[in-house]
């Protein structure tokens, strides 16, 4: 049976001399922005990616990502570079959509709760190697276009807009009640901490752009593949390390496992050549970013898209906990 939004498998495979004939094509756990399929053929299994995110789904952007992963693979990083078709191309444009065929990687996702302290240390080392290898394969980043921190007055206006939408919901449910509570709570926190708005980032480098548990496959205790390089770009690299930790090591109640964060951060600093001051500044900026960020609520109430709803409870609780435990979090990353 054809999966929803079935890709043009036959037309795609005809471009690859050794891919075989299609046997099945099943959707895998769907990301928020693109679609993936496990494609079985008479020659083996593949991961078929359909690029849909308007910001990154053009051929030139995808080709740049593919070149980067091929070079990273040559340096020994665990990635799954795309396969080239008979003409040497790694991007297939069919029906106005871009597709790429990758080898299928057996593995499973692991979050921070499933990582030991040693596993957390290895994760930090891995991300540090990603950043240093990207610097090698991508060269000097283009001039920094600026990474100003959020303006609290803009956030307060957004909170008011979201509160109006939440309060207008009929019938209201438990999510709406929690959303209103967190919005009102955040408004108070912003008034209390507006004076702590951090300055713009001092430096930026090449980063994966979306490093989190669903973009890292493990085989046993070893990372097997870093996937989904759509957000490859130039941003403050230490901030990626902090954001990743805030996703990997957040507990359901919205707290960070600081013992694992400390092991991860020390390993990252060694591997990436990042000093304590740079990582401490990144903690300040990511905390401020989280304090001012409502992307999950914007998806639900402004875009009428509920796919991000499950992330909201822990993400919103983390902001409150992080603000209360600010010094302990900073010390775990930079101490």
């Amino acid at each position: 049976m054809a999966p929803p939004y079935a890709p043009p498998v036959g037309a795609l495979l005809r471009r690859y001399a050794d891919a075989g004939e299609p046997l099945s094509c099943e959707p895998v756990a769907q990301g928020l922005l693109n679609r993936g399929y496990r494609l079985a053929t008479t020659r083996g299994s593949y991961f078929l990616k359909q690029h849909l995110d308007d910001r990154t789904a053009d051929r030139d952007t995808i080709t740049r990502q593919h070149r980067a992963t091929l070079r990273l693979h040559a340096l020994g990083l665990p990635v799954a570079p795309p396969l080239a078709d008979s003409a040497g191309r790694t991007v297939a444009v069919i029906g106005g959509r871009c597709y790429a065929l990758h080898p299928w990687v057996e593995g499973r996702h692991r979050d921070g709760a499933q990582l030991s302290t040693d596993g957390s240390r290895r994760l930090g080392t891995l991300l540090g190697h990603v950043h240093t290898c990207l610097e090698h394969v991508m060269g000097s980043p283009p001039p920094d276009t600026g990474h100003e921190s959020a303006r609290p007055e803009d956030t307060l206006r957004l909170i008011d807009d979201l509160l109006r939408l939440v309060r207008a919901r009929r019938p209201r449910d438990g999510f709406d009640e929690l959303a209103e509570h967190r919005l009102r709570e955040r408004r108070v926190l912003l008034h209390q901490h507006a004076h702590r708005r951090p300055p713009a980032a001092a430096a930026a480098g090449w980063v994966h752009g979306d490093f989190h548990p669903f973009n890292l496959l493990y085989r046993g205790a070893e990372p097997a593949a870093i996937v989904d390089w759509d957000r490859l770009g130039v941003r403050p690299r230490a901030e990626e390390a902090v954001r990743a930790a805030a996703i990997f090591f957040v507990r359901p109640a919205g707290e960070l496992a600081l013992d694992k964060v400390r092991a991860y951060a020390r390993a990252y600093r060694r591997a990436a050549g990042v000093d304590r001051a740079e990582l401490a500044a990144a903690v300040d900026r990511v905390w401020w970013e989280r304090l001012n960020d409502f992307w999950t609520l914007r998806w639900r109430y402004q875009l009428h898209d509920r796919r991000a709803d499950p992330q909201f409870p822990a993400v919103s609780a983390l902001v409150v906990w992080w603000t209360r435990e600010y010094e302990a979090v900073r010390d775990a990353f930079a101490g």
Side-chain angles (χ1 to χ4, degrees):
M1 181 180 294
Y5 311 105
V9 172
L12 181 79
L13 288 178
R14 283 193 290 273
R15 301 181 179 212
Y16 294 83
D18 300 318
E21 296 298 320
L23 298 175
S24 64
C25 183
E26 299 295 332
V28 297
Q30 184 172 311
L32 293 178
L33 299 174
N34 299 297
R35 296 194 184 101
Y37 303 86
R38 181 169 186 167
L39 175 60
T41 78
T42 52
R43 296 291 183 87
S45 293
Y46 303 91
F47 176 73
L48 172 60
K49 183 166 183 176
Q50 183 180 17
H51 291 264
L52 297 173
D53 183 7
D54 290 339
R55 293 169 293 181
T56 60
D58 63 281
R59 186 204 293 263
D60 290 343
T61 298
I62 301 168
T63 299
R64 185 188 68 166
Q65 297 160 9
H66 288 174
R67 283 198 299 265
T69 56
L70 286 163
R71 293 168 181 167
L72 292 172
H73 184 262
L75 292 176
L77 278 181
V79 295
L83 302 173
D85 66 15
S86 301
R89 295 177 298 237
T90 58
V91 181
V93 182
I94 304 174
R97 296 290 190 187
C98 289
Y99 300 86
L101 198 62
H102 299 257
W104 180 262
V105 178
E106 290 291 347
R108 58 189 290 262
H109 304 293
R110 304 182 73 187
D111 60 28
Q114 298 166 307
L115 297 178
S116 63
T117 301
D118 184 59
S120 303
R121 194 176 294 115
R122 286 162 131 193
L123 179 66
T125 299
L126 176 63
L127 183 57
H129 286 160
V130 168
H131 288 170
T132 56
C133 288
L134 279 173
E135 185 177 8
H136 178 75
V137 304
M138 300 299 291
S140 299
D144 190 4
T145 56
H147 298 272
E148 292 289 340
S149 55
R151 291 158 40 95
E153 55 269 32
D154 295 337
T155 305
L156 289 168
R157 283 194 291 271
L158 174 61
I159 288 174
D160 289 341
D161 291 342
L162 288 170
L163 278 171
R164 281 193 289 272
L165 293 172
V166 172
R167 289 166 177 165
R169 289 271 303 167
R170 295 293 184 275
R172 284 165 65 90
D173 58 21
F175 189 103
D176 300 319
E177 298 294 337
L178 177 61
E180 180 171 356
H181 168 71
R182 291 302 191 194
L183 286 165
R184 294 171 62 187
E185 179 181 56
R186 197 78 64 85
R187 185 163 56 188
V188 171
L189 289 175
L190 273 170
H191 281 299
Q192 291 174 344
H193 298 282
H195 63 286
R196 296 172 64 183
R197 180 190 179 198
W206 289 100
V207 298
H208 175 275
D210 202 19
F211 194 84
H212 59 69
F214 288 118
N215 284 336
L216 180 58
L217 287 166
Y218 280 84
R219 190 176 296 119
E222 294 296 326
I226 306 165
V227 300
D228 197 354
W229 292 80
D230 293 339
R231 300 293 184 86
L232 173 68
V234 176
R235 283 179 286 282
R237 58 179 184 164
E239 290 182 27
E240 172 158 88
V242 177
R243 287 191 198 97
I247 301 172
F248 270 95
F249 300 113
V250 66
R251 293 169 171 157
E255 302 174 358
L256 292 178
L258 293 183
D259 55 337
K260 294 182 178 181
V261 168
R262 188 180 301 276
Y264 159 92
R266 287 178 175 173
Y268 171 77
R269 292 201 311 262
R270 286 193 297 269
V274 170
D275 61 24
R276 287 181 171 86
E278 183 176 346
L279 201 55
V283 172
D284 296 342
R285 287 180 52 79
V286 176
W287 164 75
W288 181 259
E289 175 186 279
R290 291 297 188 96
L291 189 64
N292 286 266
D293 184 47
F294 296 95
W295 76 272
T296 53
L297 296 186
R298 295 184 73 168
W299 274 40
R300 177 182 172 97
Y301 294 108
Q302 293 181 336
L303 303 179
H304 309 291
D305 187 333
R306 298 192 176 194
R307 286 177 295 164
D309 284 7
Q311 300 184 41
F312 176 70
V315 167
S316 59
L318 174 60
V319 176
V320 180
W321 178 86
W322 191 339
T323 303
R324 186 174 66 247
E325 302 294 335
Y326 188 85
E327 293 303 327
V329 175
R330 205 171 192 265
D331 181 68
F333 277 101

